[in-house]
């Protein structure tokens, strides 16, 4: 069966000291109600990765980066490679977040290269897709998400694709307090699964975890996670407070 995952994306928040405190709190609270069937991930800024990996139990909380370089190594000032990320003990990397796509010009082609680098370094990838409001209003949301999947990921082999987790994050729901309804989330998640099945077959599609992200919080998590194709969440704002994040983890455990 596919994994149930609750992943925090801290984005550009928390100093190192604050991040270590939060990571310790998350670790101890997850440990206190450990349910093995939910994988808990925290996605920290790069500079936190190696320190955070010393204060969390890898069997309890997995660590993720939020980006990686397109190139393996060399003269790329300011970049952080997938090998460096893996060397900190991080197991995951978030790629294709809408903030990376829109503020830093990350195209599908750039993302396909990042995916390759991450896989070469045995990282699991949380690959984000999602439409902006105008695309939904114009009825283009399925088309947009399909092309993000095809162009970013569908050059992979089925074995490589087994290291991909999809996060559906409608851009209009990110940081806005406006969540997709559970019906809207389920409709898109089912579409994503069908698109994966069309490329890799039903078995691969059934094994792929598809997370929802966008103003997911302790109040709406239960309803979102009750949907059959919503396997978990990618949590922004609510991952910055351990109590809120743990409440979302518990909501995932309860289904
Ligand atoms: P919010 O939960 O703050 O809306 O952010 C969602 C997100 O972008 C997670 O990657």
């Amino acid at each position: 069966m596919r994994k149930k995952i609750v992943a925090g994306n801290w984005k550009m928040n928390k100093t190192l000291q604050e991040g270590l405190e939060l990571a310790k709190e998350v670790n101890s609270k997850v440990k206190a109600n450990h349910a093995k069937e939910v994988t808990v991930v925290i996605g920290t800024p790069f500079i936190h990765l190696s320190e955070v990996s010393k204060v969390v139990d890898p069997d309890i909380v997995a660590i993720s980066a939020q980006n990686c370089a397109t190139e393996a190594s060399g003269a790329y000032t300011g970049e952080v490679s997938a090998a460096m990320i893996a060397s900190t003990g991080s197991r995951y990397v978030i790629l294709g977040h809408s903030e990376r796509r829109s503020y830093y010009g990350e195209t599908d082609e750039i993302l396909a290269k990042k995916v390759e680098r991450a896989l070469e370094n045995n990282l699991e990838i949380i690959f984000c897709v999602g439409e902006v409001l105008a695309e939904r209003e114009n009825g283009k949301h399925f088309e947009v998400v399909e092309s993000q999947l095809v162009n970013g990921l569908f050059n992979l082999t089925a074995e490589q694709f087994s290291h991909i987790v999809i996060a559906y994050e409608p851009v209009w729901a990110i940081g806005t307090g406006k969540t997709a309804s559970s019906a809207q989330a389920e409709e898109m998640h089912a579409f994503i699964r069908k698109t994966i099945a069309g490329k890799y077959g039903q078995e691969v599609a059934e094994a792929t975890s598809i997370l929802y992200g966008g103003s997911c919080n302790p109040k709406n998590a239960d309803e979102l996670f009750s949907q059959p194709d919503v396997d978990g969440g990618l949590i922004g704002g609510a991952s910055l407070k351990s109590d809120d994040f743990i409440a979302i983890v518990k909501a995932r455990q309860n289904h």
Side-chain angles (χ1 to χ4, degrees):
M1 261 324 279
R2 56 185 176 256
K3 274 188 191 156
K4 295 175 175 182
I5 301 172
V6 174
N9 175 7
W10 292 2
K11 307 192 180 181
M12 194 176 74
N13 291 294
K14 305 287 179 190
T15 62
L16 178 59
Q17 291 73 21
E18 291 165 349
L20 284 170
E21 273 318 296
L22 177 57
K24 282 183 204 163
E25 280 173 33
V26 169
N27 189 67
S28 67
K29 289 177 186 176
V30 174
K31 204 171 196 163
N33 36 150
H34 194 32
K36 276 209 160 19
E37 67 274 15
V38 179
T39 300
V40 178
V41 181
I42 51 177
T44 81
F46 286 135
I47 61 129
H48 297 53
L49 294 173
S50 70
E51 290 297 309
V52 164
S53 77
K54 292 177 195 151
V55 301
V56 301
D57 178 341
D59 293 331
I60 304 283
V61 176
I63 299 166
S64 177
Q66 302 171 13
N67 183 24
C68 74
T70 53
E71 308 305 320
S73 67
Y76 301 99
T77 302
E79 289 292 282
V80 175
S81 72
M84 292 172 187
I85 293 166
S87 75
T88 67
S90 306
R91 295 217 340 258
Y92 286 81
V93 60
I94 298 166
L95 291 175
H97 193 281
S98 71
E99 289 149 16
R100 300 293 320 167
R101 291 178 189 263
S102 68
Y103 305 151
Y104 301 98
E106 294 196 0
T107 60
D108 291 337
E109 292 68 32
I110 289 172
L111 291 170
K113 286 176 88 177
K114 293 187 174 198
V115 165
E116 260 183 71
R117 296 292 89 72
L119 290 172
E120 284 162 7
N121 289 283
N122 302 316
L123 293 170
E124 305 291 313
I125 297 166
I126 300 175
F127 190 84
C128 306
V129 297
E131 79 286 355
V132 300
L133 186 60
E135 290 163 342
R136 178 163 280 267
E137 285 174 348
N138 293 326
K140 297 241 183 289
H141 44 300
F142 294 118
E143 205 178 295
V144 167
V145 167
E146 182 174 12
S147 85
Q148 290 169 338
L149 291 171
V150 170
N151 297 328
L153 296 175
F154 281 8
N155 61 331
L156 300 179
T157 65
E159 195 290 317
Q160 288 174 314
F161 197 84
S162 70
H163 299 286
I164 304 290
V165 171
I166 304 292
Y168 170 55
E169 299 206 307
V171 180
W172 46 271
I174 296 176
T176 58
K178 194 168 180 245
T179 320
S181 68
S182 56
Q184 284 172 322
E186 174 57 24
E187 185 185 33
M188 183 59 87
H189 284 223
F191 172 78
I192 291 169
R193 204 176 301 289
K194 193 175 92 194
T195 305
I196 295 168
K199 169 71 181 172
Y200 294 105
Q202 198 60 34
E203 204 176 314
V204 171
E206 286 300 328
T208 303
S209 299
I210 307 176
L211 315 183
Y212 168 79
S215 299
C216 183
N217 61 41
K219 290 205 177 81
N220 58 30
D222 194 58
E223 166 73 15
L224 286 160
F225 297 160
S226 69
Q227 302 302 309
D229 287 292
V230 178
D231 302 310
L234 181 57
I235 319 300
S239 72
L240 298 174
K241 289 195 185 129
S242 61
D243 283 343
D244 287 353
F245 187 60
I246 296 311
I248 297 170
V249 171
K250 281 190 193 159
R252 181 61 287 187
Q253 286 170 353
N254 293 339
H255 283 287

